[in-house]
Amino acid sequence: MAQVVLRPGDVVHVGPDASVQFSGDRALTFRVIRVDPRITYDGWIWLDGYVLDATGTALQRRRIFVRQEGLRPAQVNRAPATRNEGLRRIR
């Protein structure tokens, strides 16, 4: 089975198939910002990214070590944007 190449911006579900530390309520949705290119144990990778909530809002930046084969594509349910969302007031 060919492994999917992860890219910045990809959103994945990280659960027990990726690592036992993400079992049960410790599973998370993760937006990849960087895949570490260094060689590790066969099939394992370091990922930098953000833990997301159910609406796709970044909650915490993390670096995780996971089995790439155990990652699953994930969808986030984005809440409708408010009119001024993302705008900053400049003084």
Side-chain angles (χ1 to χ4, degrees):
M1 174 192 255
Q3 289 199 351
V4 175
V5 175
L6 291 172
R7 293 188 170 90
D10 287 347
V11 177
V12 293
H13 172 75
V14 183
D17 291 339
S19 176
V20 295
Q21 68 180 331
F22 300 110
S23 297
D25 63 353
R26 297 183 71 162
L28 48 91
T29 303
F30 194 78
R31 181 184 308 124
V32 177
I33 59 172
R34 180 176 176 270
V35 178
D36 194 314
R38 290 180 286 183
I39 297 172
T40 64
Y41 295 106
D42 190 34
W44 290 78
I45 56 174
W46 282 102
L47 297 176
D48 292 316
Y50 293 98
V51 176
L52 305 179
D53 68 10
T55 65
T57 301
L59 300 175
Q60 177 186 36
R61 184 169 177 168
R62 287 191 59 183
R63 181 164 223 229
I64 59 176
F65 187 59
V66 292
R67 285 183 51 238
Q68 185 170 353
E69 188 176 289
L71 299 173
R72 303 288 176 254
Q75 297 286 331
V76 290
N77 300 318
R78 293 201 172 267
T82 61
R83 181 176 166 187
N84 294 323
E85 185 175 315
L87 298 178
R88 288 187 283 161
R89 175 174 266 165
I90 299 172
R91 293 181 189 218

